[in-house]
Amino acid sequence: MSLTRPDLDALPAYVPGRSVPGAIKLASNEVPYGPLPGVVEAVTAAVAGVHRYPDMGVTELRARLADRLGVDSERVATGCGSVALFEHLFRVACLPGDEVVYAWRSFEAYPIIGATTAAKSVRVPNTGAHAHDLNAMADAITDRTRIVIVCNPNNPTGTAVRKAELDAFIDRVPANVIVALDEAYREFVTDPDVPDGLREYGDRPNVVVLRTLSKAWGLAGLRIGYLIGSPEVAAAVRKVVTPFSTSLAAQAAALAALDAEAEMRRRVDLVVAERTRVVEAVRKVYPDVPETQSNFFWLPLGDQSAEFAAAQERAGVIVRSFQGDGVRVTIGTPEENDAFLGAL
């Protein structure tokens, strides 16, 4: 007799980017330049109070985010990274048997979250250019659909949806279906035709934007993200968030990181410059690498993915293989990227 749900036996576990001692890690979409100025000091000061619970309402950080984004703080919810906020969003929107539509391949946590909330995942294949097929995603919406996810830029392919096609898509989504815009990599977008989801669609009650401080803001090890939605949706999410899950250290670090936005932008510019250089070099060997608007790029290697990743590992570089589909490579420092290119 099983003590756990039998349907979870077929569910793949989330696979993190591997860390190998002495190797260069280009597997987890981290920014390689260390914490932003002031973050270590803020965390150190916060540690003196860890015998106390943190502010459960995350009041100061939510106010700072709201002011920065030009929204009311009642529209903001925070959590243990944007992935945790997706878990909470599924929980407040879906009953068992309800459907969630998303592209595939996209962020590998979506099917895991769907299964653990008893929602049915409806995966819509990407286009031949490794991008969302928004027309097919709109066609996949049924009376049971509660959420449709647009990952923009898409993880792991790096491709991005532009404004005209996203406008048309959102216009087709029924008002009782949540459009969740996963913008974890928004800071790396340089294409002016790729819309800021909050600015363009934030006035629509059924649009929710999810972002993180783990990537461009350099707080991957502290896990903090935020959601902006209608007051009703944000309040429901805050209601189901695990109490005190936004830790004292994470709140302090986030506030300090937001004070260092200029330095964050400078580091993002370094990543974007390297992205251009590395992708141009890789295309001389693998011309099918799609355009990327993130801090990583996609090698559509199919069945050769594991072999490619193993060859890079032998050269001391760790990349992320998605078996049977492709390889995702994070942009690192120039020296790290040169090591990857040398192994190519």
Side-chain angles (χ1 to χ4, degrees):
M1 180 181 67
S2 175
L3 296 176
T4 61
R5 286 169 42 186
D7 62 312
L8 297 184
D9 292 342
L11 185 67
Y14 183 87
V15 180
R18 295 170 55 240
S19 295
V20 176
I24 294 168
K25 185 182 180 185
L26 302 180
S28 294
N29 300 344
E30 300 148 334
V31 172
Y33 299 111
L36 288 166
V39 167
V40 172
E41 294 80 1
V43 171
T44 301
V47 166
V50 295
H51 60 298
R52 304 292 187 188
Y53 284 111
D55 172 19
M56 182 173 162
V58 199
T59 310
E60 185 178 2
L61 178 57
R62 284 175 51 225
R64 277 286 302 279
L65 289 168
D67 182 66
R68 180 176 178 274
L69 298 168
V71 300
D72 190 275
S73 63
E74 292 305 304
R75 297 185 58 196
V76 180
T78 64
C80 187
S82 56
V83 65
L85 288 163
F86 264 109
E87 293 178 3
H88 305 320
L89 184 63
F90 276 44
R91 195 176 303 159
V92 301
C94 299
L95 292 171
D98 285 341
E99 296 176 351
V100 177
V101 175
Y102 52 86
W104 197 254
R105 180 173 286 273
S106 192
F107 185 34
E108 63 184 312
Y110 298 154
I112 298 172
I113 297 169
T116 55
T117 54
K120 178 184 177 183
S121 285
V122 178
R123 304 184 190 184
V124 179
N126 286 328
T127 68
H130 312 285
H132 283 40
D133 187 339
L134 291 185
N135 285 329
M137 290 174 66
D139 290 341
I141 294 172
T142 72
D143 291 341
R144 297 305 305 269
T145 304
R146 301 297 299 133
I147 301 173
V148 58
I149 302 172
V150 177
C151 189
N152 201 31
N154 185 44
N155 179 16
T157 64
T159 52
V161 174
R162 291 175 172 82
K163 184 177 183 303
E165 55 184 327
L166 192 53
D167 285 351
F169 171 77
I170 290 178
D171 285 343
R172 287 187 61 189
V173 177
N176 65 336
V177 174
I178 291 174
V179 179
L181 301 179
D182 186 344
E183 295 189 339
Y185 301 93
R186 173 65 205 172
E187 290 84 356
F188 300 101
V189 172
T190 56
D191 184 343
D193 289 333
V194 177
D196 177 314
L198 181 60
R199 183 179 300 124
E200 297 294 336
Y201 314 108
D203 61 335
R204 303 197 183 206
N206 68 326
V207 172
V208 173
V209 177
L210 298 98
R211 294 179 181 168
T212 184
L213 298 177
S214 295
K215 310 303 182 186
W217 297 90
L219 298 182
L222 286 170
R223 306 301 302 127
I224 185 161
Y226 58 97
L227 170 154
I228 311 101
S230 70
E232 294 77 14
V233 171
V237 169
R238 290 196 300 271
K239 188 179 295 185
V240 302
V241 166
T242 304
F244 307 110
S245 59
T246 305
S247 73
L248 192 73
Q251 292 184 45
L255 290 165
L258 291 173
D259 285 336
E261 182 166 0
E263 175 61 13
M264 181 276 289
R265 296 292 177 190
R266 187 188 72 83
R267 296 180 183 191
V268 165
D269 288 345
L270 295 176
V271 171
V272 169
E274 277 297 285
R275 179 179 78 191
T276 300
R277 180 180 77 91
V278 173
V279 170
E280 287 178 355
V282 172
R283 282 184 176 148
K284 295 176 182 178
V285 183
Y286 295 100
D288 294 333
V289 172
E291 292 289 339
T292 176
Q293 287 291 304
S294 194
N295 68 328
F296 56 86
F297 62 93
W298 178 248
L299 283 157
L301 298 177
D303 292 337
Q304 297 179 333
S305 301
E307 180 183 354
F308 180 93
Q312 284 284 336
E313 183 169 345
R314 289 193 294 271
V317 179
I318 307 301
V319 295
R320 177 71 165 86
S321 171
F322 293 80
Q323 184 63 33
D325 284 338
V327 173
R328 188 189 68 196
V329 183
T330 304
I331 299 297
T333 65
E335 296 76 18
E336 291 170 339
N337 299 330
D338 286 344
F340 166 80
L341 292 173
L344 207 59

